[in-house]
């Protein structure tokens, strides 16, 4: 079970419970198994979900005893990147849901089927897919559009007072959709290449959200909006630090 004194999302789940903390307790001082939706954006860091981040999310949720269902929009990818070269594969086209199924081991549903009634929280791992397939942030920056199903999910969970977790670049989704949200993508200066995507913090501010500086092993909790974020691979660092930061989220 998710330990009640554990990660930030569990704390947010306790606060979000209609019946207060007691509704998440059994006879033992632990939360009931949370039902968590994980939204993927493809398979592979440069054109989809960052696989290490998705795996870290799933490992931490599994260790916490959560019941997990994965989703992805049934739409074409913006483009396909040859990950061995870091360049577009011009002749290829792929579907976000079909590619995400690789990470989900086939157990995935269309994002159109995701409802707040079936889940206690939703988590968006990072990867460029969040900025290319779940939104147009990679191309349009602060003027980006968000996939309508992604926007619906964010607004529905926010309205229901249920926690929303986002890591790496995906906090830009909350910044765009949820007015005045507080998020983190890490630091606001590149610091010699340690934070290569630090400019994203400025775009978040331009979107009307508040950016909070955090270390890669930390998470920021927007208690008002129940949005929990962590930098993940916005930082150039060892994999275990990414894993720990996602654990904090």
């Amino acid at each position: 079970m998710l330990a009640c004194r554990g990660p930030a999302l569990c704390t947010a789940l306790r606060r979000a419970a209609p019946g207060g903390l007691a509704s998440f307790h059994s006879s033992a001082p632990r939360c009931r198994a949370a039902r968590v939706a994980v939204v993927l954006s493809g398979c592979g860091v440069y054109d989809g979900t960052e696989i290490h981040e998705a795996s870290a999310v799933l490992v931490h949720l599994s260790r916490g005893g959560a019941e997990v269902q994965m989703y992805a929009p049934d739409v074409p990818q913006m483009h396909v990147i040859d990950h061995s070269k870091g360049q577009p594969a011009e002749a290829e086209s792929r579907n976000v849901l079909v590619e995400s199924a690789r990470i989900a081991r086939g157990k995935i549903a269309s994002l159109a089927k995701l409802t707040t009634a079936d889940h206690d929280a939703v988590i968006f791992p990072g990867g460029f897919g969040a900025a290319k397939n779940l939104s147009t942030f990679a191309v349009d920056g602060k003027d980006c559009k968000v996939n309508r199903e992604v926007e619906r999910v964010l607004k529905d969970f926010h309205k229901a007072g249920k926690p929303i977790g986002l890591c790496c670049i995906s906090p830009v989704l909350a910044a765009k959709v949820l007015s005045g949200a507080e998020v983190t993508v890490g630091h606001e200066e590149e610091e010699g290449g340690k934070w290569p995507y630090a400019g994203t913090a400025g775009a978040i501010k331009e979107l009307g959200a508040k950016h909070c500086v955090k270390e890669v092993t930390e998470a920021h909790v927007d208690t008002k909006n129940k949005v929990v974020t962590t930098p993940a691979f916005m930082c150039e660092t060892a994999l275990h630090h990414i894993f720990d930061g996602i654990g904090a989220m």
Side-chain angles (χ1 to χ4, degrees):
M1 297 293 183
L2 287 172
C4 287
R5 295 182 181 272
L9 270 170
C10 185
T11 302
L13 278 168
R14 294 166 66 215
R15 292 171 178 166
L21 180 60
S23 68
F24 277 93
H25 276 207
S26 63
S27 57
R30 288 181 176 270
C31 301
R32 70 162 171 82
R35 300 167 298 169
V36 181
V38 176
V39 179
L40 304 178
S41 60
C43 182
V45 58
Y46 298 129
D47 58 12
T49 303
E50 212 299 321
I51 298 172
H52 296 297
E53 291 179 11
S55 295
V57 167
L58 296 173
V59 168
H60 284 296
L61 289 175
S62 175
R63 183 169 288 151
E67 298 173 5
V68 177
Q69 172 64 51
M70 284 172 267
Y71 297 88
D74 188 1
V75 297
Q77 290 186 184
M78 173 185 149
H79 60 186
V80 177
I81 297 294
D82 179 339
H83 280 61
S84 69
K85 300 176 181 178
Q87 298 175 351
E90 301 294 347
E92 290 192 50
S93 63
R94 299 186 185 184
N95 178 278
V96 176
L97 177 61
V98 173
E99 289 301 294
S100 298
R102 295 173 181 272
I103 297 174
R105 297 172 62 87
K107 297 178 181 179
I108 195 166
S110 170
L111 187 59
K113 297 181 179 179
L114 173 53
T115 68
T116 56
D118 295 328
H119 301 284
D120 300 308
V122 62
I123 299 177
F124 291 79
F128 279 97
K132 294 179 177 181
N133 304 327
L134 303 188
S135 72
T136 64
F137 183 81
V139 176
D140 300 323
K142 66 180 181 62
D143 298 316
C144 68
K145 295 180 180 179
V146 175
N147 171 280
R148 65 179 184 179
E149 289 297 337
V150 173
E151 182 175 5
R152 174 189 64 80
V153 167
L154 288 169
K155 287 182 175 179
D156 286 354
F157 273 80
H158 182 258
K159 183 178 180 180
K162 293 185 175 183
I164 300 166
L166 311 102
C167 63
C168 193
I169 191 66
S170 65
V172 300
L173 303 173
K176 177 67 176 181
V177 174
L178 305 178
S179 179
E182 297 177 5
V183 300
T184 187
V185 289
H187 286 206
E188 298 180 354
E189 301 292 337
E190 290 191 15
E191 299 176 18
K194 182 178 180 180
W195 297 92
Y197 310 106
T200 305
I204 284 171
K205 294 175 184 178
E206 290 183 297
L207 286 168
K210 179 181 179 181
H211 183 259
C212 303
V213 174
K214 290 288 181 179
E215 300 300 330
V216 69
T217 55
E218 298 177 318
H220 178 73
V221 182
D222 177 349
T223 55
K224 178 182 177 181
N225 293 297
K226 294 187 174 65
V227 173
V228 186
T229 53
T230 191
F233 274 110
M234 298 300 273
C235 181
E236 287 290 337
T237 189
L239 179 58
H240 67 279
H241 294 313
I242 308 297
F243 185 87
D244 291 347
I246 290 173
M249 177 184 72

